[in-house]
Amino acid sequence: MNEMTRVSAQPAYSDAASKALARAPKLFIGGEWVESTHDRTLPVIDPSTGREIGRFVDASDADVDRAVAAARQAFDDGRWTGLPPIVRESMIHKLADLIERHADEFAELEAIDNGKPKTIAAALDIPAAVGMLHYMAGWTTKLGGETMAPMAAPNGAFHAYVRREPAGVAAQIVPWNFPMIMATLKIAPALAAGCTLVLKPAEQTSVTALRLADLVNEAGFPAGVINIITGNGHTAGDRLVRHPDVDKIAFTGSTEIGKLINKNATDTLKRVTLELGGKSPVVVLPDVDVAATAGGAASAIFFNAGQVCVAGSRIYAHRDIFDKLIEGVAEAAKGWTVGPSLDPATRMGPLVSDEQHARVMDYIDQGKKAGASIVTGGDAPSHEGYFVSPTIMVDVKPEMSVVREEIFGPVVVAQRFDDLDEVAREANNTSYGLAASVWTRDVSAMHKMCAELKAGTVWGNCHMMIDPALPFGGFKQSGLGREQARQGVEAYTELKTVIIAL
Ligand code: ADP
């Protein structure tokens, strides 16, 4: 692509999507749609056009307090935990079924609001959100405690056991890159563990969370178990983080905000789970099928326009195959057709916002100024939306900002290496530790690298394979705790040790 490339225009929205976008700005609290206590609202912007297409509430402090009070009451009076686990499990399944019933509308709204191609939202995001709810629903009836014997007491003198209890009220703050997946990744384990919750989607992408709220009562949840409020992070989000009636914070977003939230949650010593940024290496050994690996490396960075916490944003390729691999990634980049989210031909939509677009273009500029060469891309195709071409940079040095910092756009930097020790050192030379991938048919080298790489997830001969049954989270400054799997539900529980003298 070059400076003159134009992308096509955004097709018309469906009637169902237009109706959802035209909703009056309200909050879902205590099982009802309520007005805010003030009249501040925020715009819904279609990133494919840059145009405002709706408004939603920017929650006030009083709104946040009301949502927390609803969740607190629903937890304390036992209307959720008091239900038989199988009844709670069925409601979570029902919510999943209702989303599935409206899957096409959810996919379209996600595409309009976030910019991702509707084809991809329909094939991936919405089914993944439904799958997350179904997977986690099962834990409702499977979580349990343990019976143990005190080591220093005669056998039979005490009956000791460990109860697993819900943590209480969870505040869940999510980002804009996968709005539905992030929302369900948060609410599903909290509900399974017996918590009540307040979810706050990102201010860039609140549309599908509000549509999800429409389905909560139909699924049968008692009032106040699931509350969904919208608003700015530094106001509504911050109020949730500091609120004395919130027991647990689950956050996904930038490392910068994650650190701030961890600090702000300290005064009330909340339980905190953080899933933060990454700068994930893609390590390619010389024995690979270069063409196939190039396609994998391209998908690792260009999927979702690179707005993925686990994006493979640093390629390390062995010197013997470096040139051929980069040629292959550049060739594969041509297949990532840039266009508006509702055009079926689009494989890579715009970035989510004007701000994100400016940020990514600034990084490309910093890279060029520092001496990096652009193999392909580097430009913003001309259109009113927030488009950036798939971009590959070479001739980079470890100290450059494009190598060190998370760009969160379709920009990959590529470097050569000679031996395994060197590449392990360079791949680990980052404050992040979310994910990594290793590409080789050499079993011994594969396992050695998987052990060496400091990351919460290491993939072999694939990238971005994430599944609800497998724990997910970061080493180092990529996070705290794990989501998904048994560990993800347990993160919403407290252990109570009971010791009874017999
Ligand atoms: P990104 O860099 O991906 O936009 P952020 O980390 O800025 O992500 O935001 C992710 C989520 O955190 C959003 O829902 C946002 O509203 C919220 N948020 C931002 N700042 C704060 C804050 N100070 N306290 C609580 N939540 C915040």
Side-chain angles (χ1 to χ4, degrees):
M1 283 205 188
N2 58 46
E3 306 281 343
M4 299 310 291
T5 308
R6 285 194 68 87
V7 299
S8 56
Q10 175 78 310
Y13 306 159
S14 72
D15 289 347
S18 300
K19 191 170 150 231
L21 291 165
R23 64 162 66 235
K26 286 193 181 167
L27 304 163
F28 186 72
I29 298 176
E32 289 172 22
W33 286 103
V34 302
E35 309 259 352
S36 171
T37 59
H38 64 194
D39 57 8
R40 277 212 300 272
T41 57
L42 294 166
V44 181
I45 307 274
D46 179 345
S48 299
T49 65
R51 274 185 235 127
E52 180 179 325
I53 50 173
R55 309 278 315 173
F56 59 91
V57 172
D58 180 12
S60 66
D61 285 355
D63 295 332
V64 174
D65 293 352
R66 187 172 170 187
V68 172
R72 183 83 257 162
Q73 168 143 26
F75 185 78
D76 288 349
D77 71 13
R79 75 183 76 166
W80 181 232
T81 49
L83 294 173
I86 190 66
V87 173
R88 291 193 278 124
E89 173 171 342
S90 306
M91 287 181 200
I92 306 172
H93 284 305
K94 178 94 189 282
L95 184 61
D97 292 341
L98 288 169
I99 294 170
E100 197 167 29
R101 192 180 304 162
H102 298 279
D104 189 66
E105 185 191 340
F106 271 104
E108 183 180 352
L109 289 172
E110 199 78 312
I112 293 170
D113 199 18
N114 165 276
K116 67 180 64 205
K118 183 189 169 191
T119 50
I120 291 177
L124 197 141
D125 294 62
I126 307 307
V130 168
M132 184 68 70
L133 285 160
H134 282 311
Y135 170 80
M136 284 294 173
W139 280 111
T140 314
T141 49
K142 281 137 202 101
L143 277 181
E146 268 185 279
T147 309
M148 293 154 119
M151 76 161 213
N155 194 21
F158 293 90
H159 177 41
Y161 57 97
V162 180
R163 283 170 56 84
R164 192 171 281 285
E165 300 187 353
V169 173
Q172 310 187 303
I173 301 173
V174 295
W176 43 258
N177 55 345
F178 294 93
M180 276 296 278
I181 293 179
M182 292 293 158
T184 50
L185 169 64
K186 294 285 181 280
I187 66 177
L191 294 170
C195 292
T196 60
L197 63 95
V198 180
L199 174 78
K200 192 198 82 60
E203 49 272 45
Q204 297 84 352
T205 55
S206 290
V207 171
T208 46
L210 292 169
R211 191 69 187 90
L212 170 68
D214 285 332
L215 309 176
V216 166
N217 290 344
E218 198 179 338
F221 290 96
V225 173
I226 301 177
N227 304 277
I228 299 183
I229 61 168
T230 52
N232 272 311
H234 64 278
T235 51
D238 185 60
R239 184 93 179 167
L240 282 170
V241 168
R242 296 173 192 269
H243 204 294
D245 274 337
V246 169
D247 301 295
K248 151 102 190 171
I249 298 286
F251 169 81
T252 299
S254 61
T255 292
E256 182 197 350
I257 300 296
K259 287 180 185 175
L260 182 66
I261 285 179
N262 202 30
K263 247 184 231 149
N264 294 342
T266 296
D267 280 347
T268 41
L269 219 59
K270 293 184 173 61
R271 280 56 183 145
V272 176
T273 309
L274 303 173
E275 200 271 277
L276 309 177
K279 190 75 181 174
S280 301
V282 172
V283 177
V284 186
L285 273 54
D287 66 290
V288 296
D289 170 341
V290 174
T293 306
S299 299
I301 184 65
F302 300 136
F303 174 70
N304 217 43
Q307 303 166 117
V308 185
C309 52
V310 296
S313 51
R314 293 183 290 149
I315 294 175
Y316 291 91
H318 190 272
R319 187 171 298 281
D320 293 351
I321 47 133
F322 182 88
D323 290 337
K324 246 178 95 190
L325 182 86
I326 297 311
E327 239 171 67
V329 180
E331 189 54 36
K334 292 185 192 149
W336 285 83
T337 313
V338 177
S341 57
L342 298 185
D343 184 339
T346 297
R347 201 163 166 214
M348 198 170 97
L351 301 188
V352 73
S353 64
D354 201 12
E355 187 190 356
Q356 192 59 18
H357 186 261
R359 216 177 104 88
V360 172
M361 292 310 293
D362 182 53
Y363 270 117
I364 292 173
D365 215 43
Q366 286 178 38
K368 284 198 248 178
K369 284 195 180 125
S373 315
I374 306 261
V375 176
T376 186
D379 63 306
S382 73
H383 190 275
E384 50 195 351
Y386 311 132
F387 298 94
V388 174
S389 298
T391 301
I392 305 169
M393 283 187 177
V394 293
D395 301 328
V396 295
K397 302 214 165 57
E399 62 278 9
M400 288 183 188
S401 63
V402 285
V403 175
R404 303 207 72 77
E405 295 170 26
E406 184 177 41
I407 298 174
F408 228 60
V411 182
V412 66
V413 294
Q415 298 168 82
R416 293 174 176 77
F417 71 88
D418 289 301
D419 66 65
L420 290 190
D421 288 340
E422 176 200 0
V423 72
R425 207 168 44 244
E426 278 312 309
N428 287 331
N429 179 14
T430 166
S431 57
Y432 293 114
L434 193 58
S437 62
V438 182
W439 301 72
T440 179
R441 295 283 155 202
D442 176 338
V443 175
S444 153
M446 173 67 85
H447 288 297
K448 182 169 170 358
M449 285 306 296
C450 289
E452 290 285 322
L453 292 171
K454 293 182 172 46
T457 299
V458 183
W459 292 289
N461 297 319
C462 63
H463 197 104
M464 243 182 250
M465 160 65 188
I466 296 177
D467 187 277
L470 305 171
F472 181 80
F475 281 24
K476 300 198 268 183
Q477 293 184 32
S478 285
L480 215 54
R482 292 293 178 270
E483 295 189 293
Q484 304 188 148
R486 173 199 290 275
Q487 292 82 355
V489 199
E490 288 180 351
Y492 285 91
T493 64
E494 288 280 8
L495 293 180
K496 179 185 283 173
T497 304
V498 180
I499 307 157
I500 300 166
L502 298 175

